[in-house]
Amino acid sequence: MSEVTVWFDASCPLCLREIALMQRLDSRNAIYFVDVADPATTCPIDRRTLLARFHAEENGKMLSGAAAFGAMWRAIPLLRPLGQLAQNRHALRFLEWLYIKFLSVRPTLQRLFGKGKPA
């Protein structure tokens, strides 16, 4: 059974690459990956909210942003130390700050990564 559920946007080339890497690293199959872009997907919260920020559920608790990344990292043995660091409120605050900065450049990165995507 999955320990963590991660919602991602399969229509985003950047997200696809990141999730593909996480799936390769998830040797225990501890993460259940859900494509929010699939209209058949049942979403636990508003689909637009799921698409705007990274979301994960860990132990029945919905997490967003850096906290969601932390949950995903804790489920992957290689990244577990980083995920555990994200449980520290000061580290999490810094990671969330980085995530917000990333969100400002994400549209540009999506366009760049989208250029290599087959039509």
Side-chain angles (χ1 to χ4, degrees):
M1 185 164 154
S2 297
E3 294 176 7
V4 175
T5 300
V6 167
W7 287 269
F8 73 99
D9 180 4
S11 67
C12 166
L14 184 61
C15 299
L16 277 177
R17 285 178 168 87
E18 178 187 2
I19 293 303
L21 174 62
M22 294 300 118
Q23 287 173 322
R24 284 192 302 276
L25 294 175
D26 182 20
S27 58
R28 299 181 312 125
N29 293 318
I31 304 171
Y32 178 59
F33 294 94
V34 180
D35 175 11
V36 178
D38 181 351
T41 297
T42 302
C43 298
I45 59 175
D46 179 68
R47 189 177 305 271
R48 286 178 300 223
T49 302
L50 286 172
L51 289 169
R53 285 178 56 92
F54 186 71
H55 286 80
E57 182 180 16
E58 180 182 43
N59 299 322
K61 182 177 180 184
M62 182 65 81
L63 303 166
S64 174
F69 278 100
M72 180 174 66
W73 297 334
R74 283 189 291 280
I76 297 172
L78 181 66
L79 301 177
R80 186 167 175 74
L82 185 56
Q84 288 175 316
L85 177 65
Q87 289 179 311
N88 174 284
R89 65 185 173 106
H90 300 293
L92 184 59
R93 189 176 303 137
F94 176 69
L95 290 170
E96 183 65 21
W97 178 82
L98 286 174
Y99 180 67
I100 290 169
K101 295 295 182 190
F102 163 77
L103 289 178
S104 69
V105 298
R106 181 173 70 170
T108 302
L109 292 173
Q110 286 173 322
R111 283 191 298 278
L112 288 173
F113 280 94
K115 289 183 180 180
K117 185 178 168 185

